[in-house]
Amino acid sequence: MNISPLSRLLPEVTQFLNNNSFPGFVGGKDYPAATGELIATIDPGSGNKIADIHDLAAAEVDHAVDIANLAFPAWSTLSQADRGAVLLRLADAVEQRKPIIAQIEALEAGKIEAQAEGDVQNFVDTLRYFVQLAEGVETRTKLDVADHDAWTYKQPWGACAFIFPWNFPFLLIGWGISPALAAGNTVVIKPAEDTSLSAIYLAQLATEIGVPDGVINVVTGRGETAGAALTNNTEIKRMSFTGSPEVGQLVAAACGRNLVPVKLELGGKGAAVVFDDVDVADTAEKLVGAITFHTGQVCCDATRWMIHSDIYDEFLEHCKDRLEQVRIGHPLDPSSEMGPVVNAKQCDRVLGYQEKGQAAGAECLFGGGRATVEGFEGHYVKPALLAGSLDNVAAREEIFGPVAYLAKFETEEEAIEMANDTNYGLANSVWTDDADRAARVAEAMVAGNSWINAHNVFAHGVPYGGVNKSGLGGGVLSIETLLDYYRSTSVVRPLT
């Protein structure tokens, strides 16, 4: 049944969106662009405008960093218990408003509403996790050094900058700022111009529940203006960027010039290696779920499927059967399983890679092309399965859509070689009932993450990061992440 998106909006969401024009939020208050330059935020499910956000200039972004640095001394010198109490109040407030934030994110990101609720809960869980971790951090560590009284002392850095993408806008904010805040840093958030509203809502909520002004700041605008200004600012103490490898290189170069430590979480071209001893139907179901989740706009997704030749045909038929049943629709329609891609540019990218792949010799095994959803002029695409040489452009480059590329293998060694034949290195998975083989293959694949009989697994306490074109500077979601947000001072007193 088709619905009007606005008919399902909560009153609180409608009230929030009635502002129509959204400035940044800095120092506990609205932070408009002096030029009045605006960027339209579009509902990708309908093609209709949601609101405008302000496009801040470089000098305005620099001022936001100054505000964050001014707020740093008071925030960093709070006791861990007092700082943790403030952050736990924020986690509670976000959890209480989960349906509101989820609808905002579903509307602007094109994400299925139930999935958006899961992202908001992940933010809550992540913030609570790092608050608890920070309570156990020993800031002074005694060193056993002959003839010296020596120790190291950990303390926060200062204002930390974060640039987030549009695919998981709220969840990734949680992954990024939670350890920084828990360690005592202040933050400046630059959300994607397509998905800025949930970040603004968060900053407003933080002020409402008593987070001190200047601790959480949001600068809005285009990547080439506001994002570049934040990256090039010499007063930030750490930078975290999540996005494409191409932009990640620019961010790393700017941080290198300024000698600012940088964490890059970039793209991927993940492999799923499926052996012939699996439950074929169950594995097909799970991998179809992986490429259709958030319309394939997931950097760590399994988009190269290496299938043992003995089960290839059976596996393919199960995938086709399941893909035929996927309900494509507006993200606020409860019956939808897969929504739109985020914007017209992304739609053209996904369809373009399908066309380039087939022109280069790939066979289309299923689907592809635009999808129509009655009553909506959104950016909908059909899931697709391609097959052929792994040298094909569609097998080598990140598409960021619901497209998987299939290939056959015969031996374990061949499968590992195929999986590692990529410039990326974010996340792969191995599917087999043989525990020893699963461990061998998981350890042999070159990536930051290897999953067994599952894909897209994010447990708090397990480091998540990439290698090669997929990232550098450490991962997220673990104690190592928290420790990144402390700088260490060595203190030494000679005893003789």
Side-chain angles (χ1 to χ4, degrees), residues 373-397:
V373 176
E374 186 180 352
F376 300 109
E377 298 295 328
H379 307 302
Y380 297 97
V381 298
K382 298 176 183 176
L385 300 178
L386 303 178
S389 168
L390 290 178
D391 290 330
N392 189 282
V393 63
R396 301 204 68 80
E397 297 184 14

mmCIF file with all atom_site columns, all heavy atoms in Angstrom, residues 373-397:
data_model
loop_
_atom_site.group_PDB
_atom_site.id
_atom_site.type_symbol
_atom_site.label_atom_id
_atom_site.label_alt_id
_atom_site.label_comp_id
_atom_site.label_asym_id
_atom_site.label_entity_id
_atom_site.label_seq_id
_atom_site.pdbx_PDB_ins_code
_atom_site.Cartn_x
_atom_site.Cartn_y
_atom_site.Cartn_z
_atom_site.occupancy
_atom_site.B_iso_or_equiv
_atom_site.pdbx_formal_charge
_atom_site.auth_seq_id
_atom_site.auth_comp_id
_atom_site.auth_asym_id
_atom_site.auth_atom_id
_atom_site.pdbx_PDB_model_num
ATOM 1   N N   . VAL A 1 373 ? 8.493  3.148   -8.074  1.00 0.00 ? 373 VAL A N   1
ATOM 2   C CA  . VAL A 1 373 ? 7.658  3.012   -6.885  1.00 0.00 ? 373 VAL A CA  1
ATOM 3   C C   . VAL A 1 373 ? 6.451  3.910   -7.099  1.00 0.00 ? 373 VAL A C   1
ATOM 4   O O   . VAL A 1 373 ? 6.592  5.140   -7.195  1.00 0.00 ? 373 VAL A O   1
ATOM 5   C CB  . VAL A 1 373 ? 8.423  3.403   -5.605  1.00 0.00 ? 373 VAL A CB  1
ATOM 6   C CG1 . VAL A 1 373 ? 7.500  3.355   -4.393  1.00 0.00 ? 373 VAL A CG1 1
ATOM 7   C CG2 . VAL A 1 373 ? 9.614  2.475   -5.400  1.00 0.00 ? 373 VAL A CG2 1
ATOM 8   N N   . GLU A 1 374 ? 5.305  3.310   -7.193  1.00 0.00 ? 374 GLU A N   1
ATOM 9   C CA  . GLU A 1 374 ? 4.098  4.053   -7.533  1.00 0.00 ? 374 GLU A CA  1
ATOM 10  C C   . GLU A 1 374 ? 3.855  5.193   -6.559  1.00 0.00 ? 374 GLU A C   1
ATOM 11  O O   . GLU A 1 374 ? 3.872  5.018   -5.343  1.00 0.00 ? 374 GLU A O   1
ATOM 12  C CB  . GLU A 1 374 ? 2.895  3.119   -7.537  1.00 0.00 ? 374 GLU A CB  1
ATOM 13  C CG  . GLU A 1 374 ? 1.609  3.780   -8.015  1.00 0.00 ? 374 GLU A CG  1
ATOM 14  C CD  . GLU A 1 374 ? 0.423  2.829   -8.018  1.00 0.00 ? 374 GLU A CD  1
ATOM 15  O OE1 . GLU A 1 374 ? 0.643  1.617   -7.801  1.00 0.00 ? 374 GLU A OE1 1
ATOM 16  O OE2 . GLU A 1 374 ? -0.704 3.300   -8.237  1.00 0.00 ? 374 GLU A OE2 1
ATOM 17  N N   . GLY A 1 375 ? 3.668  6.384   -7.101  1.00 0.00 ? 375 GLY A N   1
ATOM 18  C CA  . GLY A 1 375 ? 3.363  7.547   -6.288  1.00 0.00 ? 375 GLY A CA  1
ATOM 19  C C   . GLY A 1 375 ? 4.573  8.351   -5.864  1.00 0.00 ? 375 GLY A C   1
ATOM 20  O O   . GLY A 1 375 ? 4.421  9.430   -5.278  1.00 0.00 ? 375 GLY A O   1
ATOM 21  N N   . PHE A 1 376 ? 5.799  7.873   -6.166  1.00 0.00 ? 376 PHE A N   1
ATOM 22  C CA  . PHE A 1 376 ? 7.007  8.563   -5.713  1.00 0.00 ? 376 PHE A CA  1
ATOM 23  C C   . PHE A 1 376 ? 7.997  8.715   -6.856  1.00 0.00 ? 376 PHE A C   1
ATOM 24  O O   . PHE A 1 376 ? 8.264  7.765   -7.595  1.00 0.00 ? 376 PHE A O   1
ATOM 25  C CB  . PHE A 1 376 ? 7.662  7.795   -4.563  1.00 0.00 ? 376 PHE A CB  1
ATOM 26  C CG  . PHE A 1 376 ? 6.780  7.635   -3.368  1.00 0.00 ? 376 PHE A CG  1
ATOM 27  C CD1 . PHE A 1 376 ? 6.242  6.400   -3.037  1.00 0.00 ? 376 PHE A CD1 1
ATOM 28  C CD2 . PHE A 1 376 ? 6.460  8.729   -2.578  1.00 0.00 ? 376 PHE A CD2 1
ATOM 29  C CE1 . PHE A 1 376 ? 5.416  6.259   -1.938  1.00 0.00 ? 376 PHE A CE1 1
ATOM 30  C CE2 . PHE A 1 376 ? 5.637  8.593   -1.476  1.00 0.00 ? 376 PHE A CE2 1
ATOM 31  C CZ  . PHE A 1 376 ? 5.114  7.357   -1.154  1.00 0.00 ? 376 PHE A CZ  1
ATOM 32  N N   . GLU A 1 377 ? 8.577  9.907   -6.958  1.00 0.00 ? 377 GLU A N   1
ATOM 33  C CA  . GLU A 1 377 ? 9.601  10.175  -7.963  1.00 0.00 ? 377 GLU A CA  1
ATOM 34  C C   . GLU A 1 377 ? 10.971 10.192  -7.294  1.00 0.00 ? 377 GLU A C   1
ATOM 35  O O   . GLU A 1 377 ? 11.709 11.162  -7.387  1.00 0.00 ? 377 GLU A O   1
ATOM 36  C CB  . GLU A 1 377 ? 9.307  11.521  -8.654  1.00 0.00 ? 377 GLU A CB  1
ATOM 37  C CG  . GLU A 1 377 ? 7.993  11.571  -9.408  1.00 0.00 ? 377 GLU A CG  1
ATOM 38  C CD  . GLU A 1 377 ? 7.965  10.605  -10.594 1.00 0.00 ? 377 GLU A CD  1
ATOM 39  O OE1 . GLU A 1 377 ? 9.045  10.377  -11.183 1.00 0.00 ? 377 GLU A OE1 1
ATOM 40  O OE2 . GLU A 1 377 ? 6.885  10.084  -10.906 1.00 0.00 ? 377 GLU A OE2 1
ATOM 41  N N   . GLY A 1 378 ? 11.300 9.113   -6.617  1.00 0.00 ? 378 GLY A N   1
ATOM 42  C CA  . GLY A 1 378 ? 12.556 9.061   -5.892  1.00 0.00 ? 378 GLY A CA  1
ATOM 43  C C   . GLY A 1 378 ? 13.659 8.391   -6.689  1.00 0.00 ? 378 GLY A C   1
ATOM 44  O O   . GLY A 1 378 ? 13.505 8.059   -7.866  1.00 0.00 ? 378 GLY A O   1
ATOM 45  N N   . HIS A 1 379 ? 14.788 8.171   -6.018  1.00 0.00 ? 379 HIS A N   1
ATOM 46  C CA  . HIS A 1 379 ? 15.984 7.633   -6.672  1.00 0.00 ? 379 HIS A CA  1
ATOM 47  C C   . HIS A 1 379 ? 16.094 6.132   -6.382  1.00 0.00 ? 379 HIS A C   1
ATOM 48  O O   . HIS A 1 379 ? 16.939 5.682   -5.594  1.00 0.00 ? 379 HIS A O   1
ATOM 49  C CB  . HIS A 1 379 ? 17.220 8.384   -6.190  1.00 0.00 ? 379 HIS A CB  1
ATOM 50  C CG  . HIS A 1 379 ? 17.107 9.870   -6.321  1.00 0.00 ? 379 HIS A CG  1
ATOM 51  N ND1 . HIS A 1 379 ? 16.874 10.496  -7.531  1.00 0.00 ? 379 HIS A ND1 1
ATOM 52  C CD2 . HIS A 1 379 ? 17.163 10.860  -5.389  1.00 0.00 ? 379 HIS A CD2 1
ATOM 53  C CE1 . HIS A 1 379 ? 16.809 11.797  -7.349  1.00 0.00 ? 379 HIS A CE1 1
ATOM 54  N NE2 . HIS A 1 379 ? 16.977 12.056  -6.056  1.00 0.00 ? 379 HIS A NE2 1
ATOM 55  N N   . TYR A 1 380 ? 15.245 5.369   -7.029  1.00 0.00 ? 380 TYR A N   1
ATOM 56  C CA  . TYR A 1 380 ? 15.159 3.938   -6.769  1.00 0.00 ? 380 TYR A CA  1
ATOM 57  C C   . TYR A 1 380 ? 15.894 3.144   -7.848  1.00 0.00 ? 380 TYR A C   1
ATOM 58  O O   . TYR A 1 380 ? 15.781 3.456   -9.044  1.00 0.00 ? 380 TYR A O   1
ATOM 59  C CB  . TYR A 1 380 ? 13.692 3.497   -6.711  1.00 0.00 ? 380 TYR A CB  1
ATOM 60  C CG  . TYR A 1 380 ? 12.913 4.134   -5.595  1.00 0.00 ? 380 TYR A CG  1
ATOM 61  C CD1 . TYR A 1 380 ? 12.124 5.268   -5.820  1.00 0.00 ? 380 TYR A CD1 1
ATOM 62  C CD2 . TYR A 1 380 ? 12.968 3.630   -4.299  1.00 0.00 ? 380 TYR A CD2 1
ATOM 63  C CE1 . TYR A 1 380 ? 11.415 5.871   -4.784  1.00 0.00 ? 380 TYR A CE1 1
ATOM 64  C CE2 . TYR A 1 380 ? 12.263 4.220   -3.255  1.00 0.00 ? 380 TYR A CE2 1
ATOM 65  C CZ  . TYR A 1 380 ? 11.487 5.340   -3.512  1.00 0.00 ? 380 TYR A CZ  1
ATOM 66  O OH  . TYR A 1 380 ? 10.786 5.929   -2.491  1.00 0.00 ? 380 TYR A OH  1
ATOM 67  N N   . VAL A 1 381 ? 16.639 2.127   -7.427  1.00 0.00 ? 381 VAL A N   1
ATOM 68  C CA  . VAL A 1 381 ? 17.318 1.223   -8.349  1.00 0.00 ? 381 VAL A CA  1
ATOM 69  C C   . VAL A 1 381 ? 16.990 -0.216  -7.966  1.00 0.00 ? 381 VAL A C   1
ATOM 70  O O   . VAL A 1 381 ? 16.663 -0.508  -6.815  1.00 0.00 ? 381 VAL A O   1
ATOM 71  C CB  . VAL A 1 381 ? 18.851 1.432   -8.346  1.00 0.00 ? 381 VAL A CB  1
ATOM 72  C CG1 . VAL A 1 381 ? 19.212 2.839   -8.802  1.00 0.00 ? 381 VAL A CG1 1
ATOM 73  C CG2 . VAL A 1 381 ? 19.437 1.142   -6.970  1.00 0.00 ? 381 VAL A CG2 1
ATOM 74  N N   . LYS A 1 382 ? 17.089 -1.105  -8.935  1.00 0.00 ? 382 LYS A N   1
ATOM 75  C CA  . LYS A 1 382 ? 16.875 -2.520  -8.675  1.00 0.00 ? 382 LYS A CA  1
ATOM 76  C C   . LYS A 1 382 ? 18.193 -3.175  -8.256  1.00 0.00 ? 382 LYS A C   1
ATOM 77  O O   . LYS A 1 382 ? 19.257 -2.809  -8.765  1.00 0.00 ? 382 LYS A O   1
ATOM 78  C CB  . LYS A 1 382 ? 16.353 -3.214  -9.928  1.00 0.00 ? 382 LYS A CB  1
ATOM 79  C CG  . LYS A 1 382 ? 15.017 -2.707  -10.432 1.00 0.00 ? 382 LYS A CG  1
ATOM 80  C CD  . LYS A 1 382 ? 14.649 -3.399  -11.729 1.00 0.00 ? 382 LYS A CD  1
ATOM 81  C CE  . LYS A 1 382 ? 13.331 -2.859  -12.296 1.00 0.00 ? 382 LYS A CE  1
ATOM 82  N NZ  . LYS A 1 382 ? 13.008 -3.470  -13.607 1.00 0.00 ? 382 LYS A NZ  1
ATOM 83  N N   . PRO A 1 383 ? 18.138 -4.132  -7.360  1.00 0.00 ? 383 PRO A N   1
ATOM 84  C CA  . PRO A 1 383 ? 19.360 -4.889  -7.064  1.00 0.00 ? 383 PRO A CA  1
ATOM 85  C C   . PRO A 1 383 ? 19.798 -5.675  -8.296  1.00 0.00 ? 383 PRO A C   1
ATOM 86  O O   . PRO A 1 383 ? 18.965 -6.049  -9.133  1.00 0.00 ? 383 PRO A O   1
ATOM 87  C CB  . PRO A 1 383 ? 18.946 -5.810  -5.918  1.00 0.00 ? 383 PRO A CB  1
ATOM 88  C CG  . PRO A 1 383 ? 17.469 -5.900  -5.994  1.00 0.00 ? 383 PRO A CG  1
ATOM 89  C CD  . PRO A 1 383 ? 16.983 -4.612  -6.583  1.00 0.00 ? 383 PRO A CD  1
ATOM 90  N N   . ALA A 1 384 ? 21.099 -5.909  -8.388  1.00 0.00 ? 384 ALA A N   1
ATOM 91  C CA  . ALA A 1 384 ? 21.634 -6.570  -9.579  1.00 0.00 ? 384 ALA A CA  1
ATOM 92  C C   . ALA A 1 384 ? 22.727 -7.558  -9.193  1.00 0.00 ? 384 ALA A C   1
ATOM 93  O O   . ALA A 1 384 ? 23.467 -7.352  -8.225  1.00 0.00 ? 384 ALA A O   1
ATOM 94  C CB  . ALA A 1 384 ? 22.189 -5.540  -10.566 1.00 0.00 ? 384 ALA A CB  1
ATOM 95  N N   . LEU A 1 385 ? 22.818 -8.623  -9.981  1.00 0.00 ? 385 LEU A N   1
ATOM 96  C CA  . LEU A 1 385 ? 23.908 -9.597  -9.882  1.00 0.00 ? 385 LEU A CA  1
ATOM 97  C C   . LEU A 1 385 ? 24.632 -9.626  -11.218 1.00 0.00 ? 385 LEU A C   1
ATOM 98  O O   . LEU A 1 385 ? 24.018 -9.839  -12.265 1.00 0.00 ? 385 LEU A O   1
ATOM 99  C CB  . LEU A 1 385 ? 23.361 -10.988 -9.556  1.00 0.00 ? 385 LEU A CB  1
ATOM 100 C CG  . LEU A 1 385 ? 22.571 -11.147 -8.258  1.00 0.00 ? 385 LEU A CG  1
ATOM 101 C CD1 . LEU A 1 385 ? 22.058 -12.578 -8.129  1.00 0.00 ? 385 LEU A CD1 1
ATOM 102 C CD2 . LEU A 1 385 ? 23.421 -10.771 -7.049  1.00 0.00 ? 385 LEU A CD2 1
ATOM 103 N N   . LEU A 1 386 ? 25.949 -9.402  -11.179 1.00 0.00 ? 386 LEU A N   1
ATOM 104 C CA  . LEU A 1 386 ? 26.796 -9.477  -12.360 1.00 0.00 ? 386 LEU A CA  1
ATOM 105 C C   . LEU A 1 386 ? 27.793 -10.613 -12.176 1.00 0.00 ? 386 LEU A C   1
ATOM 106 O O   . LEU A 1 386 ? 28.048 -11.061 -11.054 1.00 0.00 ? 386 LEU A O   1
ATOM 107 C CB  . LEU A 1 386 ? 27.549 -8.163  -12.574 1.00 0.00 ? 386 LEU A CB  1
ATOM 108 C CG  . LEU A 1 386 ? 26.721 -6.882  -12.706 1.00 0.00 ? 386 LEU A CG  1
ATOM 109 C CD1 . LEU A 1 386 ? 27.641 -5.673  -12.859 1.00 0.00 ? 386 LEU A CD1 1
ATOM 110 C CD2 . LEU A 1 386 ? 25.757 -6.973  -13.878 1.00 0.00 ? 386 LEU A CD2 1
ATOM 111 N N   . ALA A 1 387 ? 28.364 -11.078 -13.278 1.00 0.00 ? 387 ALA A N   1
ATOM 112 C CA  . ALA A 1 387 ? 29.356 -12.154 -13.199 1.00 0.00 ? 387 ALA A CA  1
ATOM 113 C C   . ALA A 1 387 ? 30.331 -12.020 -14.349 1.00 0.00 ? 387 ALA A C   1
ATOM 114 O O   . ALA A 1 387 ? 30.025 -11.424 -15.388 1.00 0.00 ? 387 ALA A O   1
ATOM 115 C CB  . ALA A 1 387 ? 28.678 -13.524 -13.232 1.00 0.00 ? 387 ALA A CB  1
ATOM 116 N N   . GLY A 1 388 ? 31.521 -12.587 -14.143 1.00 0.00 ? 388 GLY A N   1
ATOM 117 C CA  . GLY A 1 388 ? 32.530 -12.558 -15.200 1.00 0.00 ? 388 GLY A CA  1
ATOM 118 C C   . GLY A 1 388 ? 33.917 -12.433 -14.623 1.00 0.00 ? 388 GLY A C   1
ATOM 119 O O   . GLY A 1 388 ? 34.172 -12.784 -13.460 1.00 0.00 ? 388 GLY A O   1
ATOM 120 N N   . SER A 1 389 ? 34.822 -11.878 -15.412 1.00 0.00 ? 389 SER A N   1
ATOM 121 C CA  . SER A 1 389 ? 36.203 -11.710 -15.000 1.00 0.00 ? 389 SER A CA  1
ATOM 122 C C   . SER A 1 389 ? 36.297 -10.725 -13.844 1.00 0.00 ? 389 SER A C   1
ATOM 123 O O   . SER A 1 389 ? 35.634 -9.684  -13.844 1.00 0.00 ? 389 SER A O   1
ATOM 124 C CB  . SER A 1 389 ? 37.042 -11.204 -16.179 1.00 0.00 ? 389 SER A CB  1
ATOM 125 O OG  . SER A 1 389 ? 38.312 -10.767 -15.730 1.00 0.00 ? 389 SER A OG  1
ATOM 126 N N   . LEU A 1 390 ? 37.158 -11.042 -12.882 1.00 0.00 ? 390 LEU A N   1
ATOM 127 C CA  . LEU A 1 390 ? 37.357 -10.138 -11.760 1.00 0.00 ? 390 LEU A CA  1
ATOM 128 C C   . LEU A 1 390 ? 38.206 -8.925  -12.118 1.00 0.00 ? 390 LEU A C   1
ATOM 129 O O   . LEU A 1 390 ? 38.432 -8.046  -11.276 1.00 0.00 ? 390 LEU A O   1
ATOM 130 C CB  . LEU A 1 390 ? 37.974 -10.890 -10.578 1.00 0.00 ? 390 LEU A CB  1
ATOM 131 C CG  . LEU A 1 390 ? 37.051 -11.894 -9.887  1.00 0.00 ? 390 LEU A CG  1
ATOM 132 C CD1 . LEU A 1 390 ? 37.789 -12.600 -8.759  1.00 0.00 ? 390 LEU A CD1 1
ATOM 133 C CD2 . LEU A 1 390 ? 35.792 -11.220 -9.357  1.00 0.00 ? 390 LEU A CD2 1
ATOM 134 N N   . ASP A 1 391 ? 38.660 -8.859  -13.363 1.00 0.00 ? 391 ASP A N   1
ATOM 135 C CA  . ASP A 1 391 ? 39.332 -7.648  -13.840 1.00 0.00 ? 391 ASP A CA  1
ATOM 136 C C   . ASP A 1 391 ? 38.331 -6.599  -14.307 1.00 0.00 ? 391 ASP A C   1
ATOM 137 O O   . ASP A 1 391 ? 38.717 -5.474  -14.634 1.00 0.00 ? 391 ASP A O   1
ATOM 138 C CB  . ASP A 1 391 ? 40.282 -7.983  -15.000 1.00 0.00 ? 391 ASP A CB  1
ATOM 139 C CG  . ASP A 1 391 ? 41.499 -8.766  -14.541 1.00 0.00 ? 391 ASP A CG  1
ATOM 140 O OD1 . ASP A 1 391 ? 41.905 -8.566  -13.373 1.00 0.00 ? 391 ASP A OD1 1
ATOM 141 O OD2 . ASP A 1 391 ? 42.029 -9.566  -15.323 1.00 0.00 ? 391 ASP A OD2 1
ATOM 142 N N   . ASN A 1 392 ? 37.064 -6.955  -14.346 1.00 0.00 ? 392 ASN A N   1
ATOM 143 C CA  . ASN A 1 392 ? 36.024 -6.046  -14.801 1.00 0.00 ? 392 ASN A CA  1
ATOM 144 C C   . ASN A 1 392 ? 35.915 -4.838  -13.874 1.00 0.00 ? 392 ASN A C   1
ATOM 145 O O   . ASN A 1 392 ? 36.085 -4.956  -12.656 1.00 0.00 ? 392 ASN A O   1
ATOM 146 C CB  . ASN A 1 392 ? 34.693 -6.796  -14.857 1.00 0.00 ? 392 ASN A CB  1
ATOM 147 C CG  . ASN A 1 392 ? 33.588 -6.013  -15.508 1.00 0.00 ? 392 ASN A CG  1
ATOM 148 O OD1 . ASN A 1 392 ? 33.001 -5.128  -14.894 1.00 0.00 ? 392 ASN A OD1 1
ATOM 149 N ND2 . ASN A 1 392 ? 33.290 -6.340  -16.762 1.00 0.00 ? 392 ASN A ND2 1
ATOM 150 N N   . VAL A 1 393 ? 35.602 -3.678  -14.429 1.00 0.00 ? 393 VAL A N   1
ATOM 151 C CA  . VAL A 1 393 ? 35.506 -2.453  -13.645 1.00 0.00 ? 393 VAL A CA  1
ATOM 152 C C   . VAL A 1 393 ? 34.467 -2.585  -12.529 1.00 0.00 ? 393 VAL A C   1
ATOM 153 O O   . VAL A 1 393 ? 34.650 -2.049  -11.427 1.00 0.00 ? 393 VAL A O   1
ATOM 154 C CB  . VAL A 1 393 ? 35.194 -1.251  -14.561 1.00 0.00 ? 393 VAL A CB  1
ATOM 155 C CG1 . VAL A 1 393 ? 33.830 -1.412  -15.246 1.00 0.00 ? 393 VAL A CG1 1
ATOM 156 C CG2 . VAL A 1 393 ? 35.246 0.055   -13.785 1.00 0.00 ? 393 VAL A CG2 1
ATOM 157 N N   . ALA A 1 394 ? 33.394 -3.315  -12.784 1.00 0.00 ? 394 ALA A N   1
ATOM 158 C CA  . ALA A 1 394 ? 32.346 -3.480  -11.768 1.00 0.00 ? 394 ALA A CA  1
ATOM 159 C C   . ALA A 1 394 ? 32.785 -4.413  -10.644 1.00 0.00 ? 394 ALA A C   1
ATOM 160 O O   . ALA A 1 394 ? 32.173 -4.412  -9.561  1.00 0.00 ? 394 ALA A O   1
ATOM 161 C CB  . ALA A 1 394 ? 31.067 -4.008  -12.411 1.00 0.00 ? 394 ALA A CB  1
ATOM 162 N N   . ALA A 1 395 ? 33.837 -5.193  -10.873 1.00 0.00 ? 395 ALA A N   1
ATOM 163 C CA  . ALA A 1 395 ? 34.378 -6.076  -9.847  1.00 0.00 ? 395 ALA A CA  1
ATOM 164 C C   . ALA A 1 395 ? 35.519 -5.425  -9.080  1.00 0.00 ? 395 ALA A C   1
ATOM 165 O O   . ALA A 1 395 ? 35.881 -5.891  -7.996  1.00 0.00 ? 395 ALA A O   1
ATOM 166 C CB  . ALA A 1 395 ? 34.868 -7.381  -10.467 1.00 0.00 ? 395 ALA A CB  1
ATOM 167 N N   . ARG A 1 396 ? 36.069 -4.350  -9.594  1.00 0.00 ? 396 ARG A N   1
ATOM 168 C CA  . ARG A 1 396 ? 37.256 -3.761  -8.990  1.00 0.00 ? 396 ARG A CA  1
ATOM 169 C C   . ARG A 1 396 ? 36.986 -2.439  -8.277  1.00 0.00 ? 396 ARG A C   1
ATOM 170 O O   . ARG A 1 396 ? 37.693 -2.087  -7.326  1.00 0.00 ? 396 ARG A O   1
ATOM 171 C CB  . ARG A 1 396 ? 38.344 -3.541  -10.046 1.00 0.00 ? 396 ARG A CB  1
ATOM 172 C CG  . ARG A 1 396 ? 38.768 -4.834  -10.744 1.00 0.00 ? 396 ARG A CG  1
ATOM 173 C CD  . ARG A 1 396 ? 40.164 -4.736  -11.319 1.00 0.00 ? 396 ARG A CD  1
ATOM 174 N NE  . ARG A 1 396 ? 41.174 -4.645  -10.279 1.00 0.00 ? 396 ARG A NE  1
ATOM 175 C CZ  . ARG A 1 396 ? 41.644 -5.692  -9.587  1.00 0.00 ? 396 ARG A CZ  1
ATOM 176 N NH1 . ARG A 1 396 ? 41.183 -6.902  -9.820  1.00 0.00 ? 396 ARG A NH1 1
ATOM 177 N NH2 . ARG A 1 396 ? 42.568 -5.508  -8.659  1.00 0.00 ? 396 ARG A NH2 1
ATOM 178 N N   . GLU A 1 397 ? 35.988 -1.693  -8.730  1.00 0.00 ? 397 GLU A N   1
ATOM 179 C CA  . GLU A 1 397 ? 35.742 -0.372  -8.166  1.00 0.00 ? 397 GLU A CA  1
ATOM 180 C C   . GLU A 1 397 ? 34.496 -0.392  -7.280  1.00 0.00 ? 397 GLU A C   1
ATOM 181 O O   . GLU A 1 397 ? 33.554 -1.142  -7.539  1.00 0.00 ? 397 GLU A O   1
ATOM 182 C CB  . GLU A 1 397 ? 35.605 0.670   -9.269  1.00 0.00 ? 397 GLU A CB  1
ATOM 183 C CG  . GLU A 1 397 ? 36.887 0.819   -10.096 1.00 0.00 ? 397 GLU A CG  1
ATOM 184 C CD  . GLU A 1 397 ? 36.788 1.920   -11.136 1.00 0.00 ? 397 GLU A CD  1
ATOM 185 O OE1 . GLU A 1 397 ? 35.838 2.741   -11.054 1.00 0.00 ? 397 GLU A OE1 1
ATOM 186 O OE2 . GLU A 1 397 ? 37.648 1.960   -12.041 1.00 0.00 ? 397 GLU A OE2 1
#
